[in-house]
Amino acid sequence: MEAVITVIALLFVLMVALGAYATVKAVGAARRGVDRTLTQARRTVEDQTLRARSFAQPGTAGEVARLRLALRTSMRATRDALHAGAAEDASLKESLGLFERLSAHGQELDAELRRLESEPDRAALADTLPALRERTERITGAADSLRWAARDRARRFADDDLDSLSAQIDVEAGALRHWTRTEPTREPWTVTPDDKRTPDGERAPDGERTPGVKKKADLKKTPDASEGRRSGSAGERSRPAIDPAAPRPAYPWQRKARPESTT
């Protein structure tokens, strides 16, 4: 009885532990989902704000907003393209490592541009703006180069796969339409002087003649057989079909036959 109670207690504790673990995992997943949603919403709001500032604010303030917007857009697009391609192409993992190093420079530049948005000294901001613009162009150019290289690689793989698939489909289509292929046929009784074949159907070597097969020239050179056949046929035509009856012998005791017209 005590053993049964012990087993039940252990099962109860195990179920409680599993329930607690599942609850923690579910709460963690929900929290990560909420954080991801909040981050995406915050990013969207910030991008819209920067876009509005770049059009509404003139001068250095609008230029700083445009630089931040271009930097964030390029880095985000490159990150999404590399992560999507790395799931199918293992060669992009090295590109992801390079992008992570580039992202550190991009985040540092974005933080610096964010601080300069509230800079009251417009003259000092105008002096540092060319250097910030050049730095932004270098980072966005490197990010764009990685992104387009990854896209070109994926497109090339897709084109190669499509070419291979098209070739295989053409071969299969030809095999399915096997009745449309016509091959030249030759009558078995037709023999030309140049077509010398053995009785087995193989082609005879040059200079040799197939047994039992005469050329047209040989047929012209042997007229004896044809003349014999011609004379024999003429003799058969002149010979009567029924031989005439031989005369009967006359005996002395027979009366002389009278003609049928006498009375």
Side-chain angles (χ1 to χ4, degrees):
M1 187 65 182
E2 295 178 357
V4 175
I5 295 175
T6 303
V7 172
I8 294 175
L10 290 176
L11 291 176
F12 178 77
V13 171
L14 182 60
M15 293 177 62
V16 171
L18 290 176
Y21 178 76
T23 302
V24 171
K25 295 294 289 184
V27 170
R31 183 178 300 174
R32 286 192 299 272
V34 171
D35 293 341
R36 191 182 303 111
T37 303
L38 291 177
T39 302
Q40 186 175 0
R42 189 183 304 110
R43 186 185 300 121
T44 302
V45 171
E46 192 169 0
D47 290 344
Q48 295 298 329
T49 303
L50 290 175
R51 187 173 287 105
R53 287 180 181 178
S54 63
F55 287 105
Q57 295 181 353
T60 56
E63 184 67 19
V64 171
R66 282 192 293 272
L67 292 178
R68 284 195 65 194
L69 182 62
L71 178 64
R72 292 164 62 90
T73 303
S74 177
M75 298 298 288
R76 187 180 305 114
T78 304
R79 182 192 60 193
D80 295 341
L82 290 179
H83 279 284
E88 300 178 356
D89 189 0
S91 300
L92 294 179
K93 292 183 179 179
E94 185 176 356
S95 301
L96 278 174
L98 294 176
F99 177 73
E100 294 299 332
R101 295 172 56 186
L102 184 65
S103 296
H105 293 278
Q107 292 174 2
E108 182 180 355
L109 178 60
D110 186 67
E112 185 175 354
L113 290 174
R114 188 186 297 109
R115 289 193 300 268
L116 291 176
E117 285 180 352
S118 58
E119 176 64 37
D121 191 356
R122 300 299 179 183
L125 180 60
D127 294 338
T128 58
L129 195 58
L132 294 173
R133 186 184 299 111
E134 181 182 359
R135 189 178 174 186
T136 303
E137 291 176 355
R138 290 181 61 185
I139 294 176
T140 55
D144 294 342
S145 178
L146 277 176
R147 182 175 69 255
W148 284 109
R151 290 178 178 176
D152 292 342
R153 181 180 178 85
R155 188 181 302 111
R156 180 59 181 271
F157 283 163
D159 292 341
D160 292 343
D161 187 36
L162 181 59
D163 293 341
S164 176
L165 181 60
S166 299
Q168 294 178 5
I169 290 176
D170 292 340
V171 172
E172 182 66 20
L176 292 176
R177 297 192 185 98
H178 61 87
W179 63 86
T180 60
R181 291 179 294 182
T182 58
E183 297 181 357
T185 58
R186 180 177 296 174
E187 299 296 337
W189 57 83
T190 303
V191 180
T192 61
D194 297 334
D195 190 7
K196 295 177 286 185
R197 297 181 179 273
T198 61
D200 297 335
E202 298 180 354
R203 194 175 185 86
D206 295 341
E208 295 185 4
R209 184 174 300 175
T210 305
V213 179
K214 294 184 178 181
K215 298 183 179 180
K216 295 180 179 179
D218 297 337
L219 295 176
K220 292 180 180 179
K221 292 180 181 179
T222 57
D224 299 334
S226 60
E227 291 178 0
R229 286 194 298 269
R230 191 180 300 110
S231 60
S233 60
E236 290 176 359
R237 285 195 299 269
S238 61
R239 182 178 179 181
I242 300 176
D243 297 334
R248 296 180 180 180
Y251 297 97
W253 60 85
Q254 291 181 348
R255 290 186 304 174
K256 187 176 181 178
R258 291 184 302 174
E260 297 179 357
S261 59
T262 56
T263 55

